[in-house]
Amino acid sequence: MSAAFRVVSEFVAGVIVGALLGWQFDKWLGTAPFALIGMLILGTASGFWNVYRLAARPSSPRQDDGR
């Protein structure tokens, strides 16, 4: 259950951070909505990359207690 929450939070965080950065860049540069769209795409890609890294991580071996 905790792994699922971590995966979801990693993905959502990437998307939200990308959207907020894009929105702020648009506000500063007056390029609405191009920076928002670009950063949203990068944030989504970053979220997928983080989920992939979590899924590709080898699981720790179980410790056998000798019974």
Side-chain angles (χ1 to χ4, degrees):
M1 187 75 158
S2 68
F5 282 126
R6 178 148 186 221
V7 166
V8 169
S9 67
E10 289 279 345
F11 180 72
V12 170
V15 173
I16 289 175
V17 168
L20 289 175
L21 284 174
W23 175 71
Q24 191 62 44
F25 286 154
D26 277 336
K27 193 173 171 183
W28 287 338
L29 302 173
T31 58
F34 299 111
L36 174 64
I37 293 169
M39 293 300 287
L40 191 60
I41 290 170
L42 286 176
T44 303
S46 140
F48 277 122
W49 180 251
N50 287 337
V51 168
Y52 171 75
R53 285 188 314 151
L54 286 173
R57 181 182 303 162
S59 60
S60 61
R62 291 184 170 212
Q63 296 198 3
D64 190 11
D65 60 0
R67 286 192 253 177

